[in-house]
Amino acid sequence: METQDFITLYAPATNDELGTIPACSQAQIDEMMAQATSVWPEWSQTTLETRSQLLKRWSANLRRDAENIAHLLSQEIAKAYADSYKEVIRTADLIDYVADDALRMNGEAYRGDQFPGGSRKKMAFSHFAPLGVVLAISPFNYPVNLAAAKIAPALMMGNSVIFKPATQGALSGVALVAALVEAGMPENLVQIATGRGSVIGDYIVQHSAVNMISFTGSVGIGRRISQLAGMIPQVHELGGKDAAIILDLDQPQRLVSELISGAFGYSGQRCTAIKRIFVLEPIADQLAALLTPAMAEITTGMPETNAMVTPLIDNGSADFVQGLIDDAIEKGAHVLFGNERQANFLAPTLLDHVTPDMRVAWEEPFGPVLPIIRVQSVEEAIRLNNESEFGLQASIFGSNIEDIFAIAPRLQVGTVNINGRSERGPDHFPFAGIKNSGMGTQGVRRSLESMSRQQMTVLNLK
Ligand code: NAP
Ligand code: G3P
């Protein structure tokens, strides 16, 4: 009889023990995969209304339990309680939107005689069919929202799901699925493969039962998965180095608010965080003078205080971020604010005179550090933006919309935000990264489409 191993999880902010999750073995994963394979054909025969009603019950349970789930999530990933609660409600809204939007997805119809020599007696129409077993792998920083953003569309399109949550965040993922089970989910339709990705990751992504992979996480893991998984559809949402290009200081208070929240929300642990500023030299001193006092207003502390900057997910992450700061300082960057650390808590840090020879100009911190890079021209800002290995989002702030629209199409990113911070939400917007920021597109409708295939039916009349 195999003994079950477990992983104990601790709160990043207090090191309090939070609970345990099973460390699934390959044999247990095989069993899950077999069950997922056997359950989806029957599920795929249910009506869209049946699926939609299950998701609506799921979201209702999440709204009912939002405070408890948010409290757990906040402890588990050191996210401000208020932001954790917003994540749960945002997830319920997402699930409801998925449940409704799938009902509006129509196929296509074709006539044979639309093509030269074709017959009027031959016609074709398509409908959305499931892929089978969807492997959903989610990151630590949105353990509920980015999990449901995969699970909900997979279910609506008739698939079963193997859900691999981030280990730090898995308790929240378990709570998310428990709400679905309580809503009446058919047995084994969604199963949770808990365990460290470094131990079970390669095994699950290469498993022959998997028909589609939806991954959100770091570039390194995403690239590994894309090379191992073989010939199945994949969607990857990966890292970012989103730049904010500052053309002028129009509406300074709004600009500062967008830059601060965009860079330091959830301690900068957002793929869409603003991770570097390009500012034209003539206004750079003024921008620095606007941002520096605003840095002092950033709330810092424990998650239950709803601070913007809380302890990072672990000490390793804090070490990495501090290394970027230290490298920049050694190479001549000016610290305008911050550069203080206690264990895995880093003070929000603003660096000026950051130059392209510094690591922080290019690497993704996933922490509370914002580098200001002074440029001599818009052309230089565009070039530096496009030289990044990443291409998730960018922001352009300015008062001249013609100038902005001349720049936007030249930025090699998935999304350009105009006079607003980079962000994924709202969740029905298509969301995609290019280059090392990802492959494929999320966002409700795109996720519904990527977790299904168009099956053609051709009718031949006598
Ligand atoms: P991560 O370390 O890549 O982990 C992401 C997920 O992959 C986790 O569930 C992890 O499990 C799992 N994993 C680890 N090794 C694996 C392997 N060999 N095979 C399969 N799965 C494996 O990323 P993270 O630290 O959770 O999140 C931070 C990163 O994700 C940042 O780079 C951020 O930019 C990116 N991100 C991107 C988006 C987006 O939408 N573009 C959104 C959020 C985050 P374990 O936890 O057990 O290791
Ligand atoms: O890193 C998670 C990514 O999905 C960010 O979401 O809405 O905070 O931009 P959002």
Side-chain angles (χ1 to χ4, degrees), residues 138 140-141 164 166-167 197 201 215-218 237-238 271 364 431:
S138 59
F140 80 83
N141 64 339
K164 161 66 181 90
T167 294
F215 173 76
T216 300
S218 62
E237 299 291 354
L238 306 178
C271 62
E364 178 182 47
F431 178 70

Side-chain angles (χ1 to χ4, degrees), residues 137-142 146 164-168 195-198 201-202 204-205 215-219 221 224-225 237-240 270-271 275 364 366 392 424 431 437 442:
I137 305 175
S138 59
F140 80 83
N141 64 339
Y142 280 81
L146 282 171
K164 161 66 181 90
T167 294
Q168 198 70 33
R196 298 207 183 279
S198 57
D202 288 0
I204 58 175
V205 302
F215 173 76
T216 300
S218 62
V219 175
I221 302 302
R224 182 181 183 88
I225 292 171
E237 299 291 354
L238 306 178
R270 293 169 53 241
C271 62
K275 295 173 185 155
E364 178 182 47
F366 230 58
L392 192 58
R424 169 172 55 102
F431 178 70
S437 289
Q442 275 195 172

